[in-house]
Each structure stands twice: as structure tokens, then as C-alpha cells.
Amino acid sequence: MKKGNLLLDAGIVGLALFATIFGAGNLVFPPILGLTAGTDWVPATLGLLLSGIVLPVLGTWAVNCVGDHAKFLTYHVSPNFYTILTCCSVLLVCVGSTLPRVGATTHEVGVQSIFPNCPIWVTVTIFFAVTYYFARERESVIDKVGKYLTPALVVIIGIILVKGIITPIGEIADPVLAKPFVSSILEGYKVGDLTTTLMLAHVFIYALEEKGYIGADLKKGVFMAGIVCIVVMSAIYVALTYIGATGGSLYPADISRTALLSGIALNIFGKTGQVGLGIVVALACLTTSVTLAASAAAFFVDLCRTKFGVQISYKWLIRGICVFCAVAGTFGVTNIINYVTPIFLTIYPPLIVLTVLGFVDKWIPNDGIYKGAVYTSTFFGFLDGVIAVFPNFTGLYDVLSYIPLFTDGFGWVIPSLAMGVIMGIVYRGKPRNYCPKTEERLAL
């Protein structure tokens, strides 16, 4: 296949990567961080940039370091680890929380501020009907998102953010958020973008391969796409966090995320600002919804075919996913976020470990390092999730508090590092297991 302009093609893929990451959570989390961080909004922003933007893009780059699919990473843990991880991510995170949340956010931030009497079920029904329209043809999803939806999203939100920076809505108040840098890193967990980029890294790598790029050109293109995503996302995050901080004299610290975002738009541009925000929210949430719904359906199609020998319809799965998410979306943003927090606390540590190991893979002597670090991080992440669900379980908290960094939310780091070294010694001299390469393009 004839190659085109690498810069242009990487830019389109980078915008598609941005659009896939940038959804409901990316709109509602930064302003509330800025509001609660107050004069400490800069370290809060840096923490959010690290966990909410840089880390997810690193996930895509880590996959590209070892192959064109996350299976090449997880195979070193176990041949079946990828299937288990992906099933949990797709069912609990993607279909169970992210997709319903973007539908609910579209209603609470966008539609409700313009049509306050509109029921949420009407909004989510229309939203997922549009999602189905864009996602029903799996082959064209990336081009649709990168060429049409994303540019409109960037232009509209850019206008709102520039106005909010030039004419601040209020004064920055004193901080009420303890440890803003650490707290914002943990807040970035709830957005869940590392889950998305690791599971979907191959989609963007395939998109460049299909344009004729291989070898060094492919790696360069993926890197450039990631840079595009980081630049666009960083500009939006910094602006949203700053604007949220300037609302310290206007809004209480316990205001809901969606009410704050809607109120900011009203203060910046009046009713016109709320209408513009409604369009931004709908586009941001729609781009995420389209890509995730398409990938989730494609994953189950391939899983049923390869594991069980059963052929099921991609379009029927898309319909089923959209119907389920429309129903789940009626529970509202706050309830969905509360439900998903312990899930992210459990699965994020092993995903971070996999990302780091992917970058240093060529220097790893055996798979024991993968096994020790990933399984240990999963175990301690699970304990963090248990404490989040049962905050009165003080006995477990007191025991774990002896682990370095635990009180900061990173108690899994030292044990994972130590167990990775120990298992590396145990597996010394044993050959590594590599995922067999295939010409087949996998959905997930």
C-alpha cells in the first residue's frame, strides 16, 4: 500500500486517540480539582496531566514497543491473562460504567441546562441511538471520529476555554484539597483512560499500518500521534483546571461535578455558553461512546468466534450494548462514578505496571519479573478497592498503613517492585514466552 504524508496521517490518528480518551470524565474532573485545589491548582493540574494524559498515551507507546497489540505485553504474565483482563475491563469499565457515564453526562451537563424538564431517559435513548449510527460499521470508526467529530469538538471547546482564561469568572480561593498533587493523580484513575488506551492501542497502530507504515515509520507515526493527543489534551486540562480554580469565590467546594461545569459555562458566556457547552459535551461523549461501543462489540464477536466457535452478529451486539447502556445511564453520573471507583483502584496498578514493563521489555531477562510485579500489584489494588467499598474496615487499613506510600494511595508500588525482583531471580535462566504473531487483525 502506498504511504501518504506521515505527519498528516499521524495527526488524524492522534486526534482520533484524543477523541477516544476525551469524554465525560475529562470534562467534569478538572474543574472540580481546580476548585478544591484553589491556589494550589498548578500541582493539582500536574498530577492530573500525569495520570490523566501522559500515562494513557504511554500505554499506547508501551504496546508499540513490544508489538502491535496489548497481548504481546500480557502474554508474559500468562497466555490467558489478556482475555481475563479484557473481559473485566470491557464488562465492568467500558460497558458497565464508561459508556453509561458519558450518556448521563450528556444529559446532566448538556441537555438539562438547556431543557431542564427533559427526562434523562429521553436523552440517553437519543444519545445511544446516535452512537449506534456511527458505530454500526466497524471498519470506518477511526476515520469518522478523527476526521469529522473531533475537529468540531476542539473548535467549540477552544472558544469557551479561551474566553474563560481571558476573563476569569471569579477569584481563586484558598485550597481545601489535601495533597493536591497526589489527590489529582488518584482522581485521574477515575477517568479510566489507561484502561482504554491499553485495550485499544492496536486500533490506532492498525490505522497507521493500513495506511502503509511499517517498521520505524510505524513507531514514529504512533509516537507523533501520541504527542498530538498529549498537546491537545494538556491545553484543555490546564484551561479547565484553571477556570475551575477561578470559581472559588462563586461555588462551594462540595458542588457536584456536573453542576460546576454547567455553572462555569453560564458565567463565561451566559445562556449561549451553556448551549455551547451542551454541544461540546455531546460531541466529547459521543466520540468516546462510538469508539468504545464499537470495540466492545468487536471484542465479543472475536472472542466467541475464536474461543467457542460461535459466530455472532456485530450489529446485534452493538444494539444490545447501546440498549443496556441507555438503561444504565439513567442512574446518573454521581452514582456511576461511586460504583466504578473501587474497580479502577483494583485494575489500575497492574495496568501501570504493564505500561512501565513494556518500555523496558527488551532489558527484561525473564517473565518472572512480569508475573511477580503484575500479580502483586493486582492483589494490593484489590485491597485498595476493598477499603474503598468498606471504609470502616479499619483493621485492614491499619495493617496496610505500615507499607510505604500506602496512605498516599500507592501502597502497591514497593511490594510490586520487590516481588518483581524476587520472581526475576526465581525464573533466572528460564526462556521467555512470546505471544505468537498472526496476520489476523484482532478487535480487542
Side-chain angles (χ1 to χ4, degrees):
M1 181 182 294
K2 184 179 179 180
K3 294 186 292 185
N5 185 299
L6 178 59
L7 181 61
L8 177 61
D9 291 336
I12 292 175
V13 173
L15 288 177
L17 175 60
F18 155 75
T20 302
I21 296 175
F22 191 76
N26 309 89
L27 281 169
V28 301
F29 283 111
I32 197 69
L33 272 178
L35 181 70
T36 55
T39 53
D40 290 335
W41 71 272
V42 172
T45 302
L46 293 177
L48 188 60
L49 292 179
L50 179 60
S51 65
I53 302 175
V54 176
L55 186 59
V57 173
L58 288 178
T60 302
W61 288 344
V63 172
N64 195 40
C65 285
V66 298
D68 58 9
H69 197 282
K71 273 191 173 183
F72 291 95
L73 270 178
T74 60
Y75 202 85
H76 297 300
V77 182
S78 166
N80 295 319
F81 187 78
Y82 178 80
T83 301
I84 297 171
L85 177 65
T86 308
C87 282
C88 292
S89 298
V90 171
L91 289 174
L92 297 178
V93 178
C94 177
V95 178
S97 66
T98 303
L99 285 170
R101 186 181 68 195
V102 295
T105 301
T106 299
H107 174 76
E108 294 183 17
V109 180
V111 175
Q112 198 170 47
S113 61
I114 304 171
F115 305 105
N117 296 322
C118 178
I120 189 171
W121 67 266
V122 173
T123 301
V124 294
T125 299
I126 296 174
F127 179 85
F128 285 105
V130 176
T131 295
Y132 171 73
Y133 170 79
F134 278 103
R136 71 189 191 278
E137 300 295 339
R138 62 187 285 187
E139 291 82 4
S140 60
V141 168
I142 289 297
D143 279 340
K144 287 178 181 177
V145 170
K147 289 182 178 179
Y148 306 114
L149 295 180
T150 308
L153 165 64
V154 172
V155 169
I156 295 173
I157 198 171
I159 294 173
I160 295 176
L161 295 182
V162 169
K163 178 65 165 58
I165 293 174
I166 294 175
T167 56
I169 61 176
E171 300 293 331
I172 300 177
D174 292 331
V176 297
L177 181 67
K179 299 180 179 179
F181 180 74
V182 174
S183 298
S184 61
I185 290 178
L186 296 177
E187 192 76 359
Y189 278 20
K190 299 177 185 178
V191 183
D193 289 336
L194 179 58
T195 309
T196 302
T197 54
L198 271 178
M199 297 300 103
L200 297 180
H202 61 282
V203 174
F204 306 102
I205 296 173
Y206 289 169
L208 286 172
E209 286 181 339
E210 289 169 358
K211 296 179 184 295
Y213 301 104
I214 59 174
D217 284 342
L218 176 62
K219 291 187 180 298
K220 183 179 179 181
V222 174
F223 176 78
M224 293 166 60
I227 293 296
V228 169
C229 180
I230 289 176
V231 169
V232 177
M233 289 266 304
S234 296
I236 293 173
Y237 265 27
V238 170
L240 281 173
T241 307
Y242 170 74
I243 293 173
T246 61
S249 60
L250 301 176
Y251 305 103
D254 59 353
I255 188 174
S256 72
R257 296 173 176 88
T258 53
L260 174 61
L261 187 60
S262 182
I264 286 173
L266 183 63
N267 274 281
I268 293 176
F269 274 123
K271 196 64 179 179
T272 302
Q274 283 192 319
V275 173
L277 179 66
I279 297 173
V280 167
V281 168
L283 288 173
C285 294
L286 184 61
T287 54
T288 297
S289 181
V290 168
T291 306
L292 293 187
S295 298
F299 166 72
F300 285 116
V301 168
D302 289 350
L303 180 67
C304 291
R305 176 175 54 83
T306 57
K307 296 292 185 181
F308 308 108
V310 177
Q311 190 71 37
I312 56 177
S313 169
Y314 168 83
K315 286 188 177 181
W316 275 106
L317 269 177
I318 280 287
R319 291 168 187 161
I321 289 171
C322 289
V323 169
F324 170 82
C325 293
V327 174
T330 61
F331 289 98
V333 174
T334 300
N335 290 329
I336 295 172
I337 290 175
N338 291 338
Y339 147 76
V340 79
T341 296
I343 296 175
F344 282 138
L345 288 174
T346 301
I347 68 174
Y348 243 64
L351 294 181
I352 294 174
V353 170
L354 281 171
T355 299
V356 173
L357 293 177
F359 275 98
V360 298
D361 180 79
K362 63 180 180 180
W363 294 292
I364 294 178
N366 58 63
D367 291 344
I369 296 175
Y370 272 91
K371 297 177 188 293
V374 171
Y375 286 137
T376 302
S377 62
T378 304
F379 174 73
F380 280 92
F382 173 75
L383 295 181
D384 283 335
V386 169
I387 292 175
V389 175
F390 305 104
N392 295 325
F393 199 172
T394 56
L396 178 60
Y397 183 90
D398 291 341
V399 172
L400 294 176
S401 63
Y402 288 101
I403 300 175
L405 303 178
F406 173 77
T407 55
D408 291 326
F410 302 100
W412 53 271
V413 173
I414 301 300
S416 300
L417 180 62
M419 190 55 66
V421 172
I422 292 172
M423 292 300 292
I425 295 173
V426 171
Y427 274 70
R428 184 173 54 184
K430 294 184 179 181
R432 300 189 66 184
N433 293 321
Y434 291 94
C435 180
K437 292 189 177 183
T438 175
E439 296 299 323
E440 182 182 10
R441 293 296 176 88
L442 301 171
L444 267 181

